[in-house]
Amino acid sequence: KLLKGANYAVEDVGNALKQAYGHSADDAAKVLKGIGYAAGDVNKALGSAWGKTSGECEKILKGAGYASKEVSSALGQAGSAVSSGVKKGWKKVKKWF
């Protein structure tokens, strides 16, 4: 709980679990859930530290004990963020031409 209370970005906590402690993505998801991170945050960590796809994240989050509704919401949030990023990137490209 110290890591969450210290306001570290969940991506940084995921990287620490992977690199310093050698946790697999599955184990890290369980640790992060135990600390109190929401499914959306754990989804970010899995994508950032382990490069997991949304399909892989779905299985991992469910395996960590998150409810299906939480997992769906987490994956939906990630999809919205990607879509928003693509739109912003496209606007920049269009300005070049």
Side-chain angles (χ1 to χ4, degrees), residues 1-69:
K1 293 192 177 188
L2 176 64
L3 291 173
K4 187 173 183 196
N7 291 322
Y8 288 105
V10 70
E11 296 90 345
D12 294 336
V13 176
N15 281 319
L17 289 172
K18 180 182 179 186
Q19 295 178 7
Y21 298 103
H23 282 289
S24 67
D26 295 288
D27 290 340
K30 292 173 186 170
V31 169
L32 291 169
K33 183 179 189 319
I35 293 172
Y37 281 100
D41 291 330
V42 177
N43 187 49
K44 289 179 193 174
L46 295 172
S48 174
W50 286 271
K52 297 296 181 184
T53 65
S54 61
E56 292 169 323
C57 286
E58 179 179 12
K59 291 177 187 175
I60 293 169
L61 291 170
K62 286 181 179 177
Y66 287 100
S68 294
K69 187 174 180 178

Side-chain angles (χ1 to χ4, degrees), residues 63-79:
Y66 287 100
S68 294
K69 187 174 180 178
E70 291 175 286
V71 173
S72 295
S73 177
L75 296 174
Q77 290 170 0

